[in-house]
Every structure is written in structure tokens, then in C-alpha cells.
Amino acid sequence: MAGNKDKVKFVCSNCGAESPRWLGRCPVCGEWNTMEERTEKAASPAVRPLAALHASKNPMKLSAIQTGKHDRLPLAMPEVDRPLGGGLVRGSVILLGGEPGIGKSTLVFQICRAVSGLGERVLYCSGEESEIQIKMRADRLHMDGERCFVVSGADMNDVITEAKRLKPALLVIDSIQTMYLGETASPMGSPNQIRDCTALLVRLAKEENVAVLIIGHVTKEGNLAGPRMLEHMVDVVLYLEGDRSYQFRILRTVKNRFGSTAESGLFMMGGEGLKGIEDPSSYLLRGRGAGTAGSIAAACMEGQRALLAEIQALSVHSVLAVPRRIAVGFDYNRLIVLLAVLEKRARVPFSQEDVYVNVAGGFKVRETAADLAAALAVVSVKWDVPVPAGLTALGEIGLTGEVLPVSHIGLRLRECVRMHMTSFLLPEGNRKDADAFFAAHPDAGRQVAYIGKVGEALALLKAAKA
Ligand code: TYD
Ligand code: MG
């Protein structure tokens, strides 16, 4: 009988590492309490290798393999189509992550509406909401329900059966953490359940050629909850990000087997769902306090698009032993570094000052190209010298105080000119490309100064007062 005995092993639910005995901490990824007991039985359908789906037994010559174009469903929602790489690919599996309440279900509903508008069927499975709640949201989004079917329930096998019967073009799972597979002996929402349910969905997508959109919750740290390998199993990983106290949302591509990950979609959450923002700079700069000390517009890249965001700063004399630094929409550690560089390399001390930096409108600056603009905003408020309304600055600031070149200078400058910027403080290292840009755009009235050290930019700011 010994040969028939089920083999017990322990598998890390985070990274999939295996161990013959239980461990408190996974030796591979270092996560605590993730080793789960697994009994190896004859492989269930969920865990059979996925590669078997792509079914060719004999090796094929690369040149002999037919590719054809991916069969895509264009959604006519540019801010969604672009991150997807040009529409929803039939037979693909998409994972959409985001914080609770950020608008995942809303966005997915709008995608369902677009797919059913193409004359295709949609099956929406919710383990979170009842049919009535789903209907209420559908009404709010003016969704015509003729080709959209909903099931409220958590049993994965039922979902698969229904999907095979209805043959929709799109299957939505809202959310994977609320789905349950009887064969997997772990509680709902556990990493094992999530992985096995996803494996079944991937199989279904490939066998039935249905696009599967899986909604996933995120952890406190902002990562998708559940095993990390979930991201490896699916074709596309998207995140919907934003600050719930603002209307601004970004749909970001983290992985895409059918397109670029450098794309993103921008939205505004309104009374009728998410609306694509065509002109993000105007949206983010509306109501800008131009001409007030501590405000500057900075050109940032979001995906392949340049947009102007307003960086605001405030500094006041601190009554605390350790002065306070608060950054909203700007990297906190980056702010600390910039303040240190300003103090050491430009002799503008901040050690007695509380400093606050905020990016207006809920946008998050994620690149160092905005360093020089942020430094100017902070110094502007300290000196009480407004940054002229039409002045913008670009450049990364190094620890020695030098201003380093930025990427995509042409795209950024084009957006600045479109948004009526007239004075530019640019890194010396971008001189060649920037000169070429201005030579090609002689109509834009402007002043350009190339900056080598951060102190030079501050001197120009001071001169602006005089
Ligand atoms: P929801 O899509 O349920 O978020 P998630 O699925 O990510 O948890 O929606 C989140 C919020 O959006 C909710 O608090 C209500 C709001 N909302 C609007 O502002 N406008 C709308 O048209 C809809 C449908 C929701
Ligand atoms: Mg939801």
C-alpha cells in the first residue's frame, strides 16, 4: 500500500517554493506563515499543466507556426483599449487589481456594456454583490441588459458550466477572492483556492476562446492579494489606481502579452461611472494657483503621454524638534533627499522648517524628472517669491546638486507649449534635443535657460522677484 499513500508536502502560497516539512518562514521569498500543507493526489483538472492546452505534441519549426492577428474586440473606450494593447483579445485572461471602492466593478461594467454593444454576450459572476445590487449599478450606468447575464454566487464549477452553456465573449469574475472550488480543500480566499480557480479560468479561456476578466483585491501594500504566481498565470495585469478622495483614476498596465506595458488610461469618476480624460493637463491644472508662491506646473510622463501637473509646496517655521515633512502625490523619500541637497549644495536650509508638498488633483508624480520643479516650489514658498505662471522646470537633481537630463524631452516640451508655458528651465544635458525642438516650433514665444547646478535655477528664481 505504501506506493498509494498520498504524499504530503508544504508549499509556499506566495512564491510556490516547496519543502518536505513545515516552516514558519519561506526560505525562498522570506514571507511568514505562508507554508501550506498539500497532499499530492492524482492531479485535479485545475492543476494539470496549462501548457497542455497549447496542444502540439511534436516540436515545430518556428518559421512554420502560423500566428495570424489576435482576434480583438475593440471596445471604443480609448482609455481602456490602449492599456489592453488595442482592445480585448478573445481567449485572453486579464487580471484587474485595485483598492476597495476605487471603481473596479464600475469600470468592468462599462467594459461589459461595450462588449454587449458589439452584439456579443457577457457573463458577469459576482461573489460580492446580489443580483439586485448588480442591477442597481447597471441602471446607474444606463446599461441595456439584453446580452448581459449575471450570476451571483461563488461556486467555480457552476460558473464554468454556465460559461460553457452561454458561450459569452467575455466572462467577468468579481472577485477571484470570493470564488470557491469544492475540490480544493482550503477556505475561500486562500491562496490555494485563488490559484486553482484561476487555473480553471485560464483553461476555460483557452478552450472556449472567451476573454476572462478577473477582479482581484489588493493588500495593504498595494499588491494583488493571493499568490504572486497569479500574475504569471494570466496574460494581462492591470491596476486601477487613484485616491478615493479625488475623482482622478489611472488604469495602468503591469504586464501584457499582447502589447506594451508603457500605456495607461486616465479617467474621472463621476455620477455615471468612469469617464476617459482626453486632456489630462487641463484637468489637473484647472483652478491652479498660478502666480502664488509655492506653485509650479511640471511636465510628467504617464505611460507614453506627457501631462502637466501642479506641484504645490508649503513651508512654515517648525515648532517641533524634528520638523515635519508631508508629501501627497510625491515620493516622501525623494522630498527628504531634495531638501538635503538644497541645504547642502544651494545653502537653503530647511532644518528648522516643516515642509509640505502636494500634487493637485490626485495625480501621483512617479519620476525624478520633476525634481527641479519640486525644488523650485519649495524654495519659492520659503522665499515668498512666486514662480512666474508661464515658467516650468524639468530635471532630475543628483546628490551633488547637478541637474540631470530627463527622458522624452520632445513630448514634454510639446505639452508645455500646448499648455501655454513660455519660460523653461531645462537640464544642460537636454540642450541638443530641446534646441532642436524649439527650432522646429519657432511660433512658441519663450525663454529657455539650461541649468547645470540646482543653484543656478534658484538664482533665476530670485532674479524673477527683482
Ligand atoms: P466600485 O466600482 O464598486 O468599486 P470597487 O469594485 O473597486 O470596490 O465603486 C466604487 C465607488 O464609486 C463607490 O463608492 C460609488 C462610486 N461610483 C460613482 O461615483 N459613480 C458611479 O457611476 C458608480 C457606479 C459608482
Ligand atoms: Mg467591486
Side-chain angles (χ1 to χ4, degrees), residues 99-106 137 140-141 269-273:
E99 282 174 25
I102 205 72
K104 298 181 295 299
S105 301
T106 306
R137 190 198 316 262
R140 188 166 175 187
L141 298 173
M269 177 64 100
E272 291 183 2

Side-chain angles (χ1 to χ4, degrees), residues 57-80:
K57 299 281 178 298
N58 303 317
M60 280 176 86
K61 234 191 226 167
L62 202 51
S63 58
I65 301 173
Q66 305 279 329
T67 50
K69 276 193 91 119
H70 295 301
D71 188 5
R72 289 184 190 268
L73 291 164
L75 302 175
M77 298 167 75
E79 303 298 313
V80 179

Side-chain angles (χ1 to χ4, degrees), residues 334 341 345 371 396-404:
R334 197 70 206 154
V341 173
R345 306 289 179 188
D371 283 357
E396 174 180 342
I397 297 180
L399 291 186
T400 55
E402 78 276 28
V403 176
L404 303 167

Side-chain angles (χ1 to χ4, degrees), residues 257-269:
R257 286 184 182 154
F258 312 108
S260 155
T261 52
E263 292 292 359
S264 57
L266 306 177
F267 301 91
M268 206 180 98
M269 177 64 100

Side-chain angles (χ1 to χ4, degrees), residues 124-134 150-155:
Y124 185 98
C125 305
S126 178
E128 308 207 328
E129 292 165 310
S130 67
E131 278 100 347
I132 297 168
Q133 285 169 315
I134 297 172
V150 294
V151 286
S152 170
D155 192 320

Side-chain angles (χ1 to χ4, degrees), residues 54-347:
H54 304 291
S56 128
K57 299 281 178 298
N58 303 317
M60 280 176 86
K61 234 191 226 167
L62 202 51
S63 58
I65 301 173
Q66 305 279 329
T67 50
K69 276 193 91 119
H70 295 301
D71 188 5
R72 289 184 190 268
L73 291 164
L75 302 175
M77 298 167 75
E79 303 298 313
V80 179
D81 282 334
R82 214 168 344 88
L84 283 174
L88 199 62
V89 176
R90 282 188 207 266
S92 68
V93 183
I94 300 148
L95 186 59
L96 171 66
E99 282 174 25
I102 205 72
K104 298 181 295 299
S105 301
T106 306
L107 178 66
V108 166
F109 248 77
Q110 291 177 250
I111 294 175
C112 292
R113 186 174 66 187
V115 172
S116 77
L118 292 170
E120 300 277 358
R121 281 197 196 146
V122 175
L123 177 58
Y124 185 98
C125 305
S126 178
E128 308 207 328
E129 292 165 310
S130 67
E131 278 100 347
I132 297 168
Q133 285 169 315
I134 297 172
K135 172 77 174 135
M136 276 160 58
R137 190 198 316 262
D139 287 344
R140 188 166 175 187
L141 298 173
H142 304 300
M143 184 150 166
D144 137 58
E146 272 316 300
R147 281 178 293 274
C148 191
F149 298 81
V150 294
V151 286
S152 170
D155 192 320
M156 202 62 228
N157 286 320
D158 289 353
V159 171
I160 301 281
T161 314
E162 279 310 305
K164 287 191 169 161
R165 192 173 65 81
L166 276 169
K167 302 211 174 301
L170 172 66
L171 167 66
V172 174
I173 304 294
D174 187 0
S175 65
I176 191 72
Q177 277 84 3
T178 56
M179 289 291 141
Y180 186 80
L181 188 64
E183 289 89 321
T184 304
S186 300
M188 184 191 278
S190 70
N192 284 344
Q193 278 288 355
I194 294 175
R195 185 188 42 215
D196 289 355
C197 288
T198 308
L200 268 187
L201 289 167
V202 173
R203 175 166 293 268
L204 178 84
K206 309 297 168 194
E207 282 173 356
E208 303 284 318
N209 203 28
V210 45
V212 179
L213 209 166
I214 301 172
I215 294 181
H217 292 172
V218 294
T219 59
K220 282 200 298 294
E221 297 79 38
N223 297 319
L224 275 160
R228 190 79 207 180
M229 57 175 96
L230 205 60
E231 296 193 15
H232 296 292
M233 295 164 76
V234 300
D235 300 307
V236 181
V237 180
L238 301 172
Y239 276 90
L240 185 63
E241 296 175 359
D243 185 330
R244 259 177 302 177
S245 43
Y246 293 99
Q247 293 179 297
F248 192 67
R249 302 283 183 274
I250 296 189
L251 182 65
R252 210 167 256 132
T253 315
V254 178
K255 161 178 174 176
N256 193 349
R257 286 184 182 154
F258 312 108
S260 155
T261 52
E263 292 292 359
S264 57
L266 306 177
F267 301 91
M268 206 180 98
M269 177 64 100
E272 291 183 2
L274 290 155
K275 224 172 117 235
I277 304 179
E278 271 142 43
D279 185 355
S281 301
S282 302
Y283 175 78
L284 290 171
L285 292 187
R286 75 200 190 299
R288 177 184 167 207
T292 314
S295 159
I296 189 168
C300 304
M301 294 304 295
E302 183 51 62
Q304 298 290 19
R305 255 183 304 186
L307 56 82
L308 259 61
E310 181 192 8
I311 300 180
Q312 304 172 336
L314 188 64
S315 87
V316 288
H317 180 74
S318 180
V319 294
L320 304 168
V322 181
R324 198 192 297 268
R325 276 89 177 83
I326 292 181
V328 178
F330 194 84
D331 188 72
Y332 175 81
N333 292 321
R334 197 70 206 154
L335 173 62
I336 309 265
V337 171
L338 290 180
L339 294 177
V341 173
L342 285 172
E343 175 145 356
K344 185 78 184 172
R345 306 289 179 188
R347 307 267 165 240

